[in-house]
Amino acid sequence: MPQDGDVMLAVIAAWSAWAGEPSLLNDNRINLAWLKTARREWDALLTAAQDERATPQGDRPETPPLQIVLQLTAVGGTPLQPVDSSPVSQEAWLEEEQRQCEATLQPTSAPTSSSEAGMKLQPSDVAHLPAPRLTIGELTALIQRHVEETDPRSEQDYRAQVQQYIAQCSEQLATAVRRAAQARLTPVRVRLTNRTNLNLRDVELRLYIPGEVDAYRTVSYASNESVTGLPTRPTPFGSARRKSIFQQAVTASIGMTTTPGLSNFPGARSLYVPDPSLPDIVNGGSATITYQLGDIRPQGHADARGVIILASAPAAPLITAT
């Protein structure tokens, strides 16, 4: 019970603002019309205040905690897309990739029939053909084109390139699976709904998924960028071409004049602005995903950004959310 007059007026003013009705006149006197209409509520407030003051501190009943009711649902269901990335599967992929690369070493020319062989010119026939009239420039261009169109690699060199390519793929295959999953698999999206009439501010949602699980943010790549990040296959044997001296000079000059990317400049990192809607992910035997959802209005909802979840083994059935 406030004992001071000014405090009493402040309490009445606060009551007026809460009730939405004028309770004080311009000269700070109590509006009797308001007091008459709100007399019952006002007496109940005063009685409760008197009882509170008369009750010892230790005997006062505890105020029941505010009930927050939130509902977590998956948007569009939970897509399950199995991906076999076991060591056996990876080894099978590497063997098939090596087989396809070495397939170009096998001759692909079809057998020649006897009738076709009879129609071809024999070396003795070539001697009786009239000699073509070529200038020195045309003859030089003909020889140069023949040299450039010859694969400079031997079969042994090509096999060494294939082995190096397979070794690089073997080292990067696990990362390639993750990159492809981040770009190609359907992300898991969740929605948090506020089932109360309260405005919830700065809501943070944390999902914990036990088991051999890793979670990743979704990514997108440019049309000319490799999704997997794996190295490109060696040029098929027999299709490589020798570079002319002019091409070698142009290639060297381009390499010397290439400007560094924007990310290499000192001020480039300051242009990056983090996205607060992106989830914070911690992997390590299990996955913990934290979303900053902001304010959720009464009976409203907030959709979290989608994430990719990869399970090396069947995930535990219990996923906790706080």
Side-chain angles (χ1 to χ4, degrees):
M1 286 283 297
Q3 303 297 329
D4 186 83
D6 294 337
V7 175
M8 175 64 76
L9 293 179
V11 171
I12 296 176
W15 174 280
S16 173
W18 176 78
E21 300 177 359
S23 58
L24 297 177
L25 300 177
N26 294 332
D27 56 355
N28 289 335
R29 291 186 298 110
I30 298 178
N31 187 348
L32 297 180
W34 167 82
L35 184 60
K36 184 177 181 179
T37 57
R39 184 76 186 188
R40 180 177 302 176
E41 291 84 357
W42 180 251
D43 289 343
L45 176 66
L46 295 180
T47 300
Q50 290 175 349
D51 293 343
E52 183 178 352
R53 292 191 63 185
T55 304
Q57 185 73 24
D59 297 338
R60 295 178 185 177
E62 294 184 0
T63 303
L66 190 63
Q67 295 296 322
I68 303 297
V69 182
L70 297 171
Q71 181 182 8
L72 183 65
T73 55
V75 180
T78 304
L80 298 179
Q81 300 164 285
V83 177
D84 186 4
S85 59
S86 62
V88 175
S89 175
Q90 294 185 25
E91 189 64 27
W93 185 88
L94 292 172
E95 292 178 357
E96 177 62 19
E97 191 72 5
Q98 182 173 353
R99 187 193 65 79
Q100 293 187 16
C101 291
E102 294 180 348
T104 59
L105 292 170
Q106 307 299 327
T108 57
S109 58
T112 305
S113 62
S114 58
S115 59
E116 292 176 348
M119 296 175 59
K120 291 185 177 180
L121 293 177
Q122 301 299 324
S124 58
D125 299 329
V126 178
H128 301 288
L129 292 177
R133 296 181 178 179
L134 298 176
T135 64
I136 296 178
E138 292 173 339
L139 181 59
T140 304
L142 181 63
I143 297 174
Q144 179 69 21
R145 185 167 62 251
H146 173 73
V147 172
E148 291 179 359
E149 291 181 354
T150 302
D151 196 325
R153 303 168 300 179
S154 65
E155 181 176 330
Q156 184 177 2
D157 294 337
Y158 178 71
R159 289 184 182 275
Q161 288 184 352
V162 172
Q163 291 297 330
Q164 182 180 8
Y165 162 71
I166 296 298
Q168 292 175 347
C169 288
S170 178
E171 295 177 356
Q172 304 175 19
L173 203 51
T175 303
V177 171
R178 175 182 57 80
R179 284 172 54 97
Q182 289 180 261
R184 292 291 185 261
L185 294 186
T186 303
V188 175
R189 305 180 186 276
V190 295
R191 170 177 295 173
L192 192 64
T193 303
N194 179 9
R195 293 304 184 189
T196 69
N197 293 324
L198 304 173
N199 182 40
L200 305 181
R201 301 188 59 186
D202 300 331
V203 177
E204 178 183 279
L205 171 64
R206 180 171 299 173
L207 297 181
Y208 174 74
I209 308 177
E212 297 181 29
V213 178
D214 290 320
Y216 302 99
R217 300 173 181 173
T218 58
V219 296
S220 59
Y221 299 98
S223 57
N224 61 343
E225 187 178 1
S226 172
V227 173
T228 63
L230 292 174
T232 56
R233 287 181 178 178
T235 305
F237 184 72
S239 59
R241 300 291 181 264
R242 297 179 185 273
K243 292 183 179 180
S244 64
I245 297 177
F246 174 75
Q247 290 174 322
Q248 295 176 4
V250 170
T251 303
S253 63
I254 292 177
M256 291 185 296
T257 58
T258 299
T259 56
L262 179 62
S263 59
N264 294 332
F265 287 96
R269 295 185 179 181
S270 61
L271 301 177
Y272 172 74
V273 179
D275 187 352
S277 65
L278 291 177
D280 180 61
I281 299 175
V282 177
N283 292 320
S286 58
T288 301
I289 312 168
T290 304
Y291 304 91
Q292 302 296 336
L293 299 181
D295 298 351
I296 305 182
R297 298 181 62 83
Q299 302 301 326
H301 67 267
D303 289 343
R305 294 282 289 268
V307 293
I308 302 297
I309 299 177
L310 297 181
S312 302
L318 180 62
I319 299 178
T320 60
T322 56

